[in-house]
Amino acid sequence: MVKLLFGPAHTIYCFLFSSFTLAALQNVTVDDAVLTGAVVFQYLPLPSTSSWNIGNNCSACTARLDASQAYNGTWHDSTYYPGGVYKSFEFNFTGRHLTTGSSLYIYFILANTIPNATVKSTELNFFMDGSSVGTYQHSPMSSTDYQYNVAVYVNDSVPFGTHAVTVEPVYGNNLELMLFDYLVYTYVLVVKKAILMVQSA
């Protein structure tokens, strides 16, 4: 927009207004223990305390992790036993980018050989809006070291809109250990800026 004003001695001031919009992708990390916000986890079956443990507070859990290497020092721990109760966790996630889609990354901690324990494998299924969107399989090694910050699910093209996501173990003949740590998603941050330029003649 251009606006002309006449000042003393017929000086002409020209005001130029211009605006533009910037869009940038922002990463958001959501801890497993979060209770409020855009993404909130539901650990199943309910009550979750009977099927999932808050790992950093669990004295009976066989997986003994280094809390300093877990995001915010927390994680959720659960084991599926063949023929036992089905366990999973769910959350709603909103893809906010109309053209390229949003990104979603789910991070687990993986165990290898755990002293005095038989469970160590982690096999997972991922569902979005009821449809299968991926699997993950961890083949444990002989080492007793844990692997932290492992992206077990990566999706860089989540469609626009709100989606229901479910993570569950492979319900087969093996014991499956789940050590969920955190997830990361992206959203589009839109910033509108204005510029004022003044010229005189």
Side-chain angles (χ1 to χ4, degrees):
M1 180 179 70
V2 179
K3 187 175 183 179
L4 298 179
L5 294 177
F6 293 90
H10 303 292
T11 300
I12 300 175
Y13 295 93
C14 178
F15 295 86
L16 303 176
F17 296 91
S18 177
S19 64
F20 60 94
T21 301
L22 296 176
L25 290 176
Q26 298 290 311
N27 286 335
V28 178
T29 302
V30 185
D31 185 49
D32 68 290
V34 69
L35 298 177
T36 60
V39 175
V40 177
F41 304 107
Q42 184 175 40
Y43 296 95
L44 301 171
L46 297 174
S48 61
T49 52
S50 66
S51 53
W52 287 83
N53 296 298
I54 299 176
N56 52 302
N57 293 330
C58 180
S59 60
C61 294
T62 57
R64 315 301 292 178
L65 308 184
D66 180 355
S68 68
Q69 296 195 59
Y71 183 78
N72 274 354
T74 67
W75 64 93
H76 268 68
D77 178 315
S78 187
T79 300
Y80 165 72
Y81 296 89
V85 176
Y86 284 8
K87 302 177 180 181
S88 64
F89 68 90
E90 300 176 347
F91 60 92
N92 289 331
F93 166 75
T94 301
R96 299 180 182 276
H97 200 285
L98 285 170
T99 54
T100 62
S102 295
S103 296
L104 174 63
Y105 299 80
I106 300 174
Y107 290 85
F108 269 54
I109 301 168
L110 302 179
N112 289 298
T113 297
I114 302 177
N116 303 316
T118 56
V119 58
K120 52 191 175 183
S121 64
T122 300
E123 296 179 279
L124 304 167
N125 287 322
F126 303 91
F127 298 88
M128 186 174 294
D129 303 326
S131 298
S132 176
V133 291
T135 61
Y136 183 85
Q137 181 177 2
H138 169 60
S139 299
M141 301 177 291
S142 59
S143 169
T144 58
D145 293 338
Y146 291 93
Q147 297 169 241
Y148 297 85
N149 302 303
V150 178
V152 296
Y153 179 74
V154 175
N155 188 340
D156 289 319
S157 57
V158 178
F160 182 80
T162 300
H163 307 281
V165 179
T166 301
V167 182
E168 63 184 34
V170 172
Y171 298 128
N173 297 321
N174 298 320
L175 279 72
E176 301 294 345
L177 176 64
M178 294 179 289
L179 301 172
F180 170 55
D181 195 2
Y182 64 98
L183 66 77
V184 177
Y185 71 92
T186 60
Y187 74 97
V188 180
L189 178 65
V190 178
V191 179
K192 191 169 185 178
K193 293 182 177 290
I195 297 177
L196 170 63
M197 295 179 291
V198 181
Q199 295 178 337
S200 61

